[in-house]
């Protein structure tokens, strides 16, 4: 059975390692925080200027001056810090953030990503995504394998305006865990109950299937 | 101590004119210069270029200037919460320059610190880099981005003193410190104007040298865009 | 909270080797990483390159490493208080790269923030710019200066916590914050290691993400180079 | 009578205007602070990271962590602030400092200045001087008109390695107040009792004397 958003988040959470500073994008990536193992030390950075984000505040305790990049009210953990936007992107551009998890509209087999613009239709802006993908060495994309019309979003080449070139290393979709290298998507794991054939069918880009592909352990 | 204190928002915005380029602090509606924005509406200055990470919402923040058709051009990284914005942009009434958020912050900092331009990897290979100089350093490609040039910067701080020293709170800090000293005139509104000497010199986020005018703000609404809470068990 | 705390200076300096490039905070003798410097003498690492605004005095600070002939090259802006330094430099034993102070600070900040290089007007038309790329922006000439690359940064802070969050005091701040995260490994010694949560998140000068190791320093001498006082009337 | 160091500092202090942020170099410039009018608001910046410097501390109240760029113990005034070196030079490079007063070994009629190095003899380093002169729009040089061997330091061309090119606008020496423009030193004022002829004799660079030259009011 294909994963839902929480399932995708759960699988990605397994990639978060002890001692990691992690930047979570809006949407599915935000959910990842809920599933990170509790026996490891992780700090969440939000590019609007906070390190050490905690859970959402209790009702009535929200503070308009303390939000995340999705403009949601948040709390902070002991050891948290606030800083200005230039410093925030110094952390990102300077490769101090260990892992970036973000959504995408399209990913291509060369690692290109498009997630900020549909010409003449949706022009919200790139926010911090272009800075994140241009600098991060460890990027996991959380996305649906296909769009609502059933067209693959795992492509030979992106059709939408790019956010960054050759930067994506891993993709977790509702169907599969893919590694992007040597101009191809390498199938690492299948979503529980999803066959290699289903994944192959839903993938427009080059899919490399090497040996037996295990199911995700979620 | 060089005194930067002005009486009120009217005095603080003296000299703002049509066609100027204005910087405005804030991320979403967090840390926006609410008083300055309302006064810009009152002044009804036209055809201004606004540098601000976001464009407010329809009825608050920079959205008020958009409703009033005062903005000629927006330079932002994310403008996705504003219907009037989308309408004006798609109809061609409003010119929009979308800039990666880190680049936006650094273009402010470069202006503040006297750097004419800088190389960043953000946007390389995308339409953001079109027409811009690119260059390789140690095997990685970078885009040359110029510093901003602006007439006024409008900044919101938590506390400040008459010397122009500022302290920010939480994530309402965001772009505000980076915009101080990045325009010809930096105007700061504070929630609390404290006595000179009350701020710990070790904990001043922005020294007064980057500020030209400061005033005690009033009636802060501090609207929350995405109130997100959990329930106590 | 990601724990950066190490037991002592020995553990903090693990991995420091001959021929490495080291950054050291401080201005004159103010805010220098005293513990790390003494341990570098103990370790007796040789042929290191030191990036530090000054070179200490004959019997304190980096002067100790000079006496011990551990330094191959110094990158500094001002080295005028040190006879042994002058002797080694004039005899050719010591390679010296003099860098304008603002350029030195920004070369640290560029390394910290992921900028490969930057344009500064400092040194244009002087021997500092010889062999470097120069360029005009809006009628003014600038020199292209590359970011530093270093193996270790040794930083002295006033207070810090196990998460690596730092607070500095007075002018002992100087280059210390700019060097955090500017080398592969940033090692911080603090006068006071406080409980996590004790530092106000609004007033942390350097967030822990820029720090790899932190330890409680001991026996600070904090020598004053130019004690200058006036008499009470 | 030619001015002594304090006399030079006194004359320069008259150029400090209400509302100025001022950076004072080591030596004579440091003395300028003693003579600034008390009815104007001035703040002194020191490039090692302090704005709002006050007088030297009382004996016993000195703090090793609070010094100026000359490494002297100092105090701070109400409204002072401390900051890191990159921020300090953001103030300088960003033209937020209104006036820079520094010493020199040589000044040339095109505004060049040399004050950091005597090859094979004195190599202490430029400290912050190169940043200051490259960015400041208002630079006053405090210096002796001639060296100890009686040779002019007010030159057609600097002989020593430069600190900056075409940047000096005003020079106050023990003999004269000079403005540097159009490739010449324009004599604005004479030190009390010093004749134009004496100044001419001590000046190797082009000296422009236009009309009656007043004596300094000190």
């Amino acid at each position: 059975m294909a994963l839902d958003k929480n399932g995708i988040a759960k699988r990605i959470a397994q990639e978060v390692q002890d001692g990691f500073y992690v930047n979570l994008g809006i949407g599915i990536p935000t959910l990842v925080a809920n599933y990170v193992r509790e026996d490891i030390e992780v700090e969440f950075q939000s590019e609007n200027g906070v390190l050490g984000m905690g859970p959402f505040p209790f009702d009535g305790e929200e503070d308009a001056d303390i939000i995340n990049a999705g403009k949601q009210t948040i709390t902070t953990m002991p050891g948290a810090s606030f800083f200005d936007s230039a410093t925030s992107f110094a952390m990102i551009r300077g490769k101090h953030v260990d892992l970036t998890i973000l959504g995408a509209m399209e990913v291509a087999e060369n690692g290109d990503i498009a997630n900020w613009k549909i010409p003449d239709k949706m022009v919200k802006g790139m926010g911090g995504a272009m800075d994140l993908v241009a600098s991060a060495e460890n990027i996991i994309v959380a996305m649906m394998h296909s769009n609502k019309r059933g067209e693959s979003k795992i492509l030979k080449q992106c059709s939408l305006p790019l956010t960054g070139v050759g930067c994506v290393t891993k993709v977790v979709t509702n169907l599969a865990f893919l590694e992007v290298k040597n101009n191809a998507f390498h199938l690492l794991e299948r979503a529980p109950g999803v066959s290699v054939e289903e994944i192959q069918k839903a993938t427009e880009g080059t899919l490399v299937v090497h040996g037996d592909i295990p199911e995700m352990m979620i | 101590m060089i005194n930067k204190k002005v009486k009120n928002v009217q005095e603080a915005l003296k000299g703002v004119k049509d066609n100027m380029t204005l910087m405005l602090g804030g991320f979403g509606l967090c840390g926006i210069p609410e008083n300055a924005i309302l006064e810009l509406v009152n002044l009804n200055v036209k055809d201004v270029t606004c540098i601000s990470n976001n464009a407010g919402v329809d009825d608050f923040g920079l959205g008020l200037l958009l409703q009033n058709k005062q903005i000629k051009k927006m330079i932002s990284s994310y403008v996705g919460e504003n219907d009037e914005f989308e309408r004006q942009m798609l109809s061609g009434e409003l010119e929009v320059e979308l800039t990666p958020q880190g680049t936006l912050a650094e273009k402010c900092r470069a202006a503040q610190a006297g750097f004419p331009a800088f190389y960043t990897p953000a946007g390389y290979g995308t339409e953001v880099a079109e027409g811009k100089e690119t260059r390789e350093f140690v095997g990685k490609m970078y885009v040359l981005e110029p510093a901003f040039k602006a007439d006024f910067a409008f900044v919101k701080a938590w506390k400040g003193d008459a010397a122009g020293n500022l302290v920010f709170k939480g994530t309402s800090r965001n772009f505000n410190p980076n915009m101080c000293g990045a325009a010809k005139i930096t105007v700061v509104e504070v929630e609390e104007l404290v006595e000179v000497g009350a701020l710990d010199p070790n904990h001043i986020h922005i020294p007064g040298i980057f500020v030209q005018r400061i005033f005690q703000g009033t009636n802060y609404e501090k609207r929350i865009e995405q109130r997100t809470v959990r329930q106590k068990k």
Side-chain angles (χ1 to χ4, degrees), chain A, chain B:
Chain A
M1 203 183 70
L3 299 174
D4 62 4
K5 287 181 178 184
N6 281 295
I8 295 174
K10 274 184 198 171
R11 179 60 193 87
I12 291 176
Q14 294 172 17
E15 299 300 298
V16 178
Q17 293 173 30
D18 191 25
F20 266 17
Y21 292 99
V22 182
N23 181 290
L24 300 178
I26 296 167
I28 303 175
T30 305
L31 301 173
V32 172
N34 300 333
Y35 302 109
V36 173
R37 279 165 52 190
E38 290 193 357
D39 62 336
I40 61 174
E41 293 176 341
V42 174
E43 281 190 45
F44 294 104
Q45 196 255 16
S46 194
E47 64 267 26
N48 60 316
V50 53
L51 187 68
M53 270 190 292
F56 296 124
F58 288 119
D59 196 359
E61 293 179 6
E62 62 274 20
D63 182 337
D65 291 329
I66 301 182
I67 64 170
N68 65 17
K71 283 108 179 178
Q72 296 170 305
T73 43
I74 55 160
T75 61
T76 56
M77 303 293 283
S81 55
F82 298 111
F83 35 85
D84 63 71
S85 299
T87 302
S88 184
F89 284 91
M91 294 175 187
I92 291 165
R93 199 185 306 99
K95 299 182 188 298
H96 306 287
V97 174
D98 300 291
L99 174 62
T100 292
I101 303 170
L102 77 175
M105 301 174 192
E106 296 179 346
V107 171
E109 62 191 39
N110 63 354
D112 287 0
I113 177 172
N115 72 351
W116 74 284
K117 186 177 179 178
I118 304 174
D120 303 320
K121 209 168 148 191
M122 191 215 71
V123 194
K124 292 181 184 300
M126 68 293 282
M130 283 194 182
D131 305 271
L132 282 158
V133 302
S135 295
E137 288 179 341
N138 195 0
I139 298 176
I140 303 180
V141 172
M143 65 191 291
M144 291 296 158
H145 216 96
S146 306
N147 66 19
K148 286 170 189 166
R149 294 186 303 282
E151 297 159 346
S152 181
K153 297 159 74 175
I154 309 295
L155 305 171
K156 283 196 184 311
Q157 206 177 334
C158 290
S159 67
L160 295 170
L162 296 182
T163 307
V165 293
C167 52
V168 175
T169 49
K170 289 172 180 168
V171 183
V172 178
T173 74
N174 50 326
L175 303 182
F177 184 1
L178 306 163
E179 188 178 1
V180 187
K181 63 177 180 185
N182 305 328
N183 275 301
F185 295 100
H186 295 252
L187 183 59
L188 299 185
E189 298 175 12
R190 299 171 288 119
V194 173
S195 69
V196 170
E197 290 65 33
E198 285 175 80
I199 296 165
Q200 181 66 72
K201 217 176 126 186
T203 305
E204 193 242 11
T206 308
L207 187 75
V208 174
V209 183
H210 191 75
D212 251 15
I213 306 298
E215 266 191 12
M216 292 180 193
M217 305 282 280
I218 289 184
Chain B
M1 195 273 297
I2 300 171
N3 192 358
K4 311 295 176 71
K5 187 181 163 186
V6 296
K7 269 204 310 286
N8 50 33
V9 69
Q10 288 78 23
E11 199 181 325
L13 267 70
K14 259 188 197 156
V16 178
K17 295 199 183 88
D18 293 353
N19 293 301
M20 278 188 165
T21 297
L22 314 177
M23 293 180 153
L24 298 104
F27 184 97
L29 300 179
C30 183
I32 59 172
E34 295 186 17
N35 287 208
I37 290 170
L38 290 176
E39 181 62 14
L40 286 169
V41 173
N42 284 340
L43 289 172
N44 200 22
V45 286
K46 295 288 187 188
D47 294 321
V48 293
T49 295
C50 290
I51 299 166
S52 180
N53 190 57
N54 311 87
V57 293
D58 279 321
D59 62 343
F60 200 58
L62 280 179
L64 299 171
L65 270 72
L66 284 166
Q67 295 285 358
N68 211 18
K69 301 202 169 52
Q70 294 178 249
I71 302 179
K72 179 175 66 183
K73 180 179 178 181
M74 277 294 314
I75 301 173
S76 301
S77 89
Y78 191 81
V79 292
E81 345 273 6
N82 196 309
D83 292 337
E84 175 63 15
F85 186 98
E86 205 159 357
R87 195 197 61 72
Q88 290 188 20
M89 177 170 60
L90 294 175
S91 73
E93 289 168 59
L94 180 67
E95 193 184 338
V96 178
E97 186 178 318
L98 290 167
T99 302
Q101 195 174 135
T103 301
L104 189 79
E106 196 65 18
K107 282 167 78 93
C108 295
R109 198 255 171 185
Q112 176 191 65
F115 293 107
F118 58 91
Y119 291 103
T120 179
Y124 175 75
T126 76
E127 60 181 60
V128 161
E130 276 170 24
K132 291 177 185 161
E133 181 181 326
T134 60
R135 179 164 176 168
E136 185 182 325
F137 290 95
V138 204
K140 190 174 169 88
M141 294 302 297
Y142 296 81
V143 184
L144 186 67
E145 294 279 2
F148 280 131
K149 285 192 184 305
D151 297 293
F152 277 84
F154 298 112
V155 162
K156 156 81 193 315
W158 182 34
K159 294 180 182 179
D161 65 22
N165 295 308
L166 308 180
V167 170
F168 300 89
K169 182 188 153 213
T171 56
S172 70
R173 192 181 318 186
N174 56 63
F175 291 84
N176 283 299
N178 306 129
M179 289 179 173
C180 290
K184 286 178 200 147
I185 296 176
T186 297
V187 174
V188 182
E189 56 189 83
V190 292
E191 285 184 58
E192 194 185 343
L193 195 67
V194 302
E195 286 300 305
V196 171
L199 300 175
D200 180 342
N202 282 310
H203 290 306
I204 287 168
H205 293 132
I206 282 291
I209 193 171
F210 294 114
V211 172
Q212 278 67 52
R213 302 175 193 169
I214 189 167
F215 68 99
Q216 169 71 59
T218 54
N219 299 320
Y220 283 102
E221 186 174 336
K222 301 219 274 185
R223 204 184 285 189
I224 295 175
E225 263 179 274
Q226 304 285 341
R227 189 179 304 270
T228 314
V229 298
R230 59 190 162 135
Q231 299 306 320
K232 275 188 183 152
K233 279 164 194 161

